[in-house]
């Protein structure tokens, strides 16, 4: 089993008025040259958690971080006009929190971040600020959203 200590949260950049099935997500990733969906888990708008890639297999979701991470994506991330927005439903929020909690308990997770938080710290101040983000994914602040998340002492979130 590979060493896993990081969870990376993503959005699929799907408009809130459109649906993206797990099969369509898999097909999109295969068209990009991946050997299946790059995320390990996919959370649908109704809160359904879909297993997309075995956790024992490295993902294809965060360049430079795939070897030691688990990728979770949620359906959405764009408003009806195609602009980046936090479009998560209450069901998605709940499912993401539960999934993160379970993964923290099952693995020695040290950190949970949004994909945008893995952007380079261009000014070298130790903080990846909004003007340094390469992309907006996942369209919300993961650290603030999961701040109350506890892993029963087995992991330390957010650094």
């Amino acid at each position: 089993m590979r060493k896993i200590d990081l969870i990376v949260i993503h959005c699929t950049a799907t408009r809130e008025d459109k649906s993206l099935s797990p099969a369509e997500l898999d097909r999109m990733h295969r068209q990009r040259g991946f050997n299946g969906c790059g995320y390990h888990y996919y959370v649908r708008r109704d809160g359904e958690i879909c297993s997309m890639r075995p956790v024992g297999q490295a993902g294809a979701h965060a360049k430079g971080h795939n070897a030691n991470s688990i990728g979770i994506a949620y359906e959405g991330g764009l408003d009806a006009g195609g602009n980046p927005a936090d479009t998560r439903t209450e069901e998605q929020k709940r499912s993401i929190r539960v999934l993160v909690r379970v993964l923290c308990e099952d693995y020695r997770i040290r950190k949970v971040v949004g994909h945008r938080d893995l952007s380079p710290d261009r000014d070298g101040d130790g903080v990846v600020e909004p003007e340094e983000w390469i992309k907006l994914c996942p369209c919300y602040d993961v650290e603030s959203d999961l701040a109350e998340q506890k892993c029963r002492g087995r992991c330390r979130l957010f650094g």
Side-chain angles (χ1 to χ4, degrees):
M1 180 58 151
R2 64 192 181 98
K3 179 183 181 235
I4 301 168
D5 61 3
L6 175 68
I7 295 173
V8 183
I9 309 289
H10 303 262
C11 69
T12 59
T14 306
R15 289 170 47 143
E16 64 185 338
D17 59 345
K18 304 288 183 193
S19 177
L20 181 67
S21 74
E24 290 169 316
L25 179 60
D26 184 76
R27 187 171 45 257
M28 287 168 49
H29 281 212
R30 287 180 188 279
Q31 288 173 343
R32 293 176 57 196
F34 302 149
N35 62 343
C37 182
Y39 308 119
H40 295 93
Y41 297 97
Y42 179 42
V43 181
R44 304 292 311 272
R45 286 197 175 90
D46 65 1
E48 176 189 10
I49 299 171
C50 304
S51 180
M52 301 298 290
R53 176 184 284 248
V55 172
Q57 181 182 356
H61 60 91
K63 189 175 181 178
H65 301 277
N66 290 318
N68 67 308
S69 68
I70 294 173
I72 300 171
Y74 71 90
E75 183 179 14
L78 300 178
D79 66 18
N83 301 304
D86 182 2
T87 61
R88 293 173 301 149
T89 64
E90 290 304 315
E91 293 84 1
Q92 283 176 309
K93 291 176 186 180
R94 187 171 33 260
S95 290
I96 291 168
R97 286 186 180 115
V98 167
L99 180 57
V100 166
R101 185 177 328 119
V102 168
L103 292 171
C104 282
E105 290 176 2
D106 288 351
Y107 301 94
R108 299 196 74 61
I109 303 299
R110 295 189 62 234
K111 198 170 186 181
V112 179
V113 299
H115 190 192
R116 68 187 191 188
D117 301 316
L118 298 175
S119 300
D121 178 16
R122 292 190 178 127
D123 64 8
D125 69 353
V127 178
V128 178
E129 296 139 331
E131 60 272 9
E132 296 173 311
W133 293 339
I134 291 174
K135 52 175 50 181
L136 296 178
C137 173
C139 302
Y140 74 95
D141 183 5
V142 170
E143 184 173 354
S144 295
D145 189 65
L146 296 176
E148 73 282 358
Q149 186 81 340
K150 302 293 181 206
C151 292
R152 299 185 186 174
R154 291 193 53 208
C155 71
R156 181 172 56 98
L157 298 181
F158 319 117

